[in-house]
Amino acid sequence: MDKKYMAMGTSMLLLKLLEQQDMYGYQIIRELEKRSNHIFSLKEGTLYPLLHSLEQQGAVACQLRLAESGRQRKYYLITDQGRKLLRDKLDEWDVFQTAVNQVIGGALFG
């Protein structure tokens, strides 16, 4: 998969995962891989700058929580502002996807 396509929607995908449940970094990476049948695979060096950017935008917050192992983990959770950003990104994606389908003939219009 061309990395340019991945970059276009990565923050949308991260926000969508966090909308469904709070997660720590490694969990986000694994869940994204699992749900995409390994099409989307992020390295930690890619994920954490994205999360920090979303945090600076006020779209995500983080909390330290005690893991079952007894170690503290940094969990990321979506904020109200993040939910709005996600809705906006989903709307943009819908417009983009519709336009692409119209050009390549994948959408049926009456």
Side-chain angles (χ1 to χ4, degrees):
M1 180 74 58
D2 191 323
K3 299 242 186 265
K4 289 180 282 192
Y5 298 122
M6 179 69 175
M8 193 166 42
T10 304
S11 60
M12 176 181 62
L13 298 175
L14 296 179
L15 289 170
K16 187 63 181 173
L17 289 176
L18 294 175
E19 180 186 49
Q20 295 165 357
Q21 81 177 73
D22 302 346
M23 294 185 194
Y24 57 93
Y26 184 75
Q27 183 181 13
I28 293 170
I29 290 170
R30 293 296 158 242
E31 192 65 22
L32 188 59
E33 287 177 348
K34 182 176 111 182
R35 291 191 192 190
S36 70
N37 293 319
H38 297 273
I39 297 296
F40 301 126
S41 181
L42 293 180
K43 303 284 187 226
E44 289 179 18
T46 303
L47 174 66
Y48 289 108
L50 288 168
L51 288 170
H52 291 147
S53 174
L54 289 169
E55 188 175 9
Q56 288 175 342
Q57 294 173 52
V60 300
C62 53
Q63 291 179 340
L64 287 177
R65 296 184 189 166
L66 199 58
E68 291 178 15
S69 65
R71 293 182 43 224
Q72 293 241 344
R73 283 198 173 128
K74 187 184 269 192
Y75 278 79
Y76 294 88
L77 50 136
I78 193 168
T79 64
D80 288 341
Q81 191 169 335
R83 290 179 203 287
K84 182 188 178 324
L85 180 61
L86 175 59
R87 282 191 307 272
D88 292 345
K89 287 186 173 292
L90 289 170
D91 288 344
E92 288 174 9
W93 178 255
D94 189 46
V95 169
F96 175 79
Q97 180 181 340
T98 299
V100 168
N101 284 337
Q102 287 173 320
V103 171
I104 65 174
L108 299 175
F109 297 95

